[in-house]
Amino acid sequence: MSTETAQDDLRGYRGISREVLARDGIRVWSEVRAKTKQGQFEGLVLPRSETADELHIVLKLDSGYNIGLAADQIESLEEVGRREAQYKIPEKKFPYSAGKPRVKLFGTGGTIASRLDYRTGAVIPAFSPGELYGSVPELADICNLETEKLYGIFSENMGPEQWIGVAQACAAEIEKGIDGIVIGHGTDTMHHTAAALSFMLQNPPVPIVMVGSQRSSDRPSSDATLNLIHATYTAARSDIAEIVVCMFGPTSDDYGLLHRGTRVRKMHSSYRSTFRTIGDRPLATVEREKITILNPGYHQRCPRGESNLALNAAFDDRVSLVYYYPGMKPDVIESLVDNGYRGIVFAGTGLGHVNRAVYPAIEKAREAGVASYMTVQTIWGYTQMYVYETGREIMGLGVEPIANMLPEVAYVKLGWALGQTDDLGEIKKIMQTPINGDITEREPPDGYLVYQGGLPEIEEFMRRVHR
Ligand code: GLU
């Protein structure tokens, strides 16, 4: 039986970390001075999540960062204060205003959903409209908001099952006549989900806006509130009826960017401006209540009550994305074939290459009826497999180049295509027919790292030079 209850003073702590806290009479929410073999630290003892290990005690420092102290390195803990968290965010009734658009906010998890009112260090989900109104009152100026938690997971745990669930939930809301949809999502795999929804929900009549945050909202530098305001405004008011990702443009909070769901990628592990449109211009900038279109060829919002939405929520997960590296051995590919995989997307070097050593395995894949496609690991640019002998040879083994489709997008599209048919010819047709910009005819000259909030380091440097 668990030693903890929800009211337990040592909430979440087990084993040695629990013993050390108990030994020194420390409870969760104690402000402590910790003497350790590595030095002295001061901070607030946070609750430990149930799945975390038992070896560490987590302190929230004044800087806003959390650190884990190894319990066996702690010499003493002294309580210097208490700061209990508010588990319940004060609920304010979300005001209803006739005439304002109706927006549905679906939660799937990630930082944005779990820490919207994360002040004292606790993970406090703020999710009901009332809680969101309490933390981001601007939302009520924009729309009438309804919320629904679909999942509460980090985005590394999102996958085909959840993509289908989100697509179906969006279709049901559209059926009921919603004016716009926001999807809160962890940022790490937001671009995979954006791609999946771009294929599963075609011709949406209203904007479907994915949003997340890189920094939790207990930190002064959080992007959570502004991203949520931008995304909600886009869903409620914009004319862009596509699956888009809405996140910070530059690292400063000057504006957000709207990225098309098939051309977007998370490109930095910690910058708030992490999402970039690849090989095209972003669709628009959004500054609180102002949207400036950068890329006019988008799918437009339908008049109220009209919809041509095509929901096609299929996926076969026997598909893999193989990132080629020099020295790759054929067994990597053979094992996929032996395990019954039906599709492989390669992220090849340069224009779309792999080494000779894997050719026999690729041939084996073709003989087994595996659909194989080539993308480029340079991320920007097109596969061009006619240029070198290598490319021609690989195509000769049955691997189809797939233009400038991003590797992750090709992986999602191939799983989606395999979910619909067994016919390799049909799959090829689906893969090569552009959908929502997954393949574009050309990269605009300003599509490479332009209109993307610039390069933060260079902008910062220029600001200092031109002070
Ligand atoms: N890795 C988690 C996720 O992608 C947390 C980070 C975030 O929310 O951006 O869900």
Side-chain angles (χ1 to χ4, degrees):
M1 209 183 77
S2 163
T3 49
E4 304 136 29
T5 66
Q7 299 313 316
D8 185 358
D9 279 345
L10 298 180
R11 182 187 305 235
Y13 285 95
R14 295 173 285 122
I16 174 171
S17 58
R18 191 177 176 90
E19 279 162 28
V20 170
L21 288 167
R23 177 197 71 195
D24 292 350
I26 303 296
R27 296 162 290 167
V28 163
W29 308 124
S30 293
E31 288 183 278
V32 297
R33 189 170 299 131
K35 292 206 175 98
T36 78
K37 290 184 184 141
Q38 278 77 38
Q40 187 165 303
F41 300 89
E42 280 188 37
L44 183 70
V45 176
L46 297 185
R48 195 86 169 113
S49 84
E50 281 163 30
T51 49
D53 71 47
E54 53 184 65
L55 306 175
H56 296 89
I57 293 170
V58 184
L59 285 195
K60 182 167 203 66
L61 306 179
D62 282 343
S63 63
Y65 282 99
N66 298 346
I67 57 165
L69 298 180
D72 64 355
Q73 301 290 303
I74 295 175
E75 286 159 353
S76 68
L77 294 169
E78 182 195 343
E79 184 171 89
V80 293
R82 294 274 303 160
R83 197 158 26 114
E84 187 103 17
Q86 285 295 330
Y87 263 97
K88 193 87 190 112
I89 295 163
E91 283 251 9
K92 286 195 189 164
K93 195 168 165 22
F94 199 97
Y96 177 84
S97 335
K100 283 201 177 129
R102 276 177 56 227
V103 171
K104 182 80 180 220
L105 169 61
F106 285 122
T108 66
T111 301
I112 188 140
S114 61
R115 291 170 195 171
L116 263 166
D117 204 335
Y118 178 93
R119 292 216 173 85
T120 34
V123 176
I124 304 173
F127 205 69
S128 71
E131 287 169 331
L132 282 171
Y133 181 52
S135 4
V136 192
E138 291 93 329
L139 298 181
D141 300 333
I142 301 174
C143 65
N144 292 311
L145 190 74
E146 297 156 33
T147 60
E148 186 179 335
K149 181 178 163 190
L150 295 176
Y151 310 102
I153 56 181
F154 287 127
S155 73
E156 48 273 29
N157 300 315
M158 293 288 291
E161 185 192 322
Q162 292 77 17
W163 300 336
I164 290 173
V166 177
Q168 287 168 338
C170 290
E173 279 309 316
I174 288 169
E175 176 89 0
K176 285 191 261 164
I178 202 80
D179 294 308
I181 296 175
V182 176
I183 302 167
H185 197 286
T187 57
D188 295 357
T189 72
M190 185 144 50
H191 51 294
H192 297 79
T193 304
L197 296 180
S198 302
F199 299 125
M200 293 180 181
L201 292 169
Q202 290 181 43
N203 301 321
V206 298
I208 300 178
V209 188
M210 302 199 61
V211 68
S213 72
Q214 279 281 84
R215 315 248 170 98
S216 54
S217 49
D218 61 309
R219 293 172 63 182
S221 61
S222 174
D223 48 344
T225 300
L226 198 56
N227 283 340
L228 198 60
I229 292 171
H230 285 157
T232 307
Y233 183 76
T234 304
R237 301 279 178 185
S238 99
D239 195 32
I240 305 175
E242 295 200 14
I243 285 84
V244 295
V245 165
C246 173
M247 293 285 291
F248 262 42
T251 41
S252 65
D253 55 8
D254 291 350
Y255 57 88
L257 281 171
L258 301 180
H259 305 275
R260 179 168 274 148
T262 55
R263 296 236 59 89
V264 64
R265 199 168 187 281
K266 183 170 181 175
M267 297 299 283
H268 197 281
S269 60
S270 58
Y271 281 180
R272 294 173 301 180
S273 55
T274 177
F275 283 91
R276 303 282 103 183
T277 288
I278 311 292
D280 205 349
R281 293 177 185 174
L283 293 176
T285 59
V286 46
E287 291 156 86
R288 291 195 170 256
E289 306 209 346
K290 181 169 158 235
I291 291 181
T292 309
I293 299 294
L294 302 175
N295 194 345
Y298 57 85
H299 182 258
Q300 292 183 352
R301 185 190 278 275
C302 289
R304 262 225 177 103
E306 286 179 26
S307 170
N308 295 321
L309 176 75
L311 169 69
N312 186 350
F315 202 89
D316 186 332
D317 61 6
R318 288 170 296 172
V319 57
S320 179
L321 174 55
V322 175
Y323 191 98
Y324 173 75
Y325 46 86
M328 180 177 275
K329 297 196 181 67
D331 52 6
V332 172
I333 297 160
E334 279 160 10
S335 70
L336 292 174
V337 179
D338 294 343
N339 282 298
Y341 276 66
R342 296 177 58 218
I344 300 175
V345 170
F346 291 98
T349 54
L351 298 168
H353 301 147
V354 294
N355 64 359
R356 283 224 156 83
V358 302
Y359 286 6
I362 292 178
E363 186 126 51
K364 178 171 166 172
R366 178 172 57 182
E367 279 159 16
V370 177
S372 300
Y373 288 85
M374 180 64 75
T375 62
V376 291
Q377 54 185 246
T378 56
I379 304 295
W380 263 273
Y382 289 74
T383 48
Q384 288 179 33
M385 298 179 72
Y386 287 103
V387 178
Y388 295 100
E389 194 189 351
T390 314
R392 291 165 189 267
E393 284 168 358
I394 298 166
M395 283 195 300
L397 299 171
V399 180
E400 298 286 346
I402 197 70
N404 67 338
M405 197 183 293
L406 295 171
E408 296 83 4
V409 174
Y411 156 74
V412 171
K413 193 175 188 185
L414 187 53
W416 177 70
L418 288 163
Q420 299 171 60
T421 176
D422 288 334
D423 180 333
L424 287 176
E426 193 55 34
I427 287 164
K428 184 167 160 187
K429 206 163 115 208
I430 296 173
M431 289 302 285
Q432 291 181 340
T433 307
I435 300 177
N436 291 332
D438 61 348
I439 296 175
T440 59
E441 235 170 78
R442 74 186 79 82
E443 221 173 55
D446 55 7
Y448 181 62
L449 284 182
V450 183
Y451 281 121
Q452 310 250 359
L455 294 171
E457 301 80 357
I458 293 175
E459 284 192 348
E460 184 52 37
F461 174 76
M462 296 299 279
R463 262 198 294 277
R464 270 188 274 128
V465 170
H466 294 291
R467 228 173 350 171

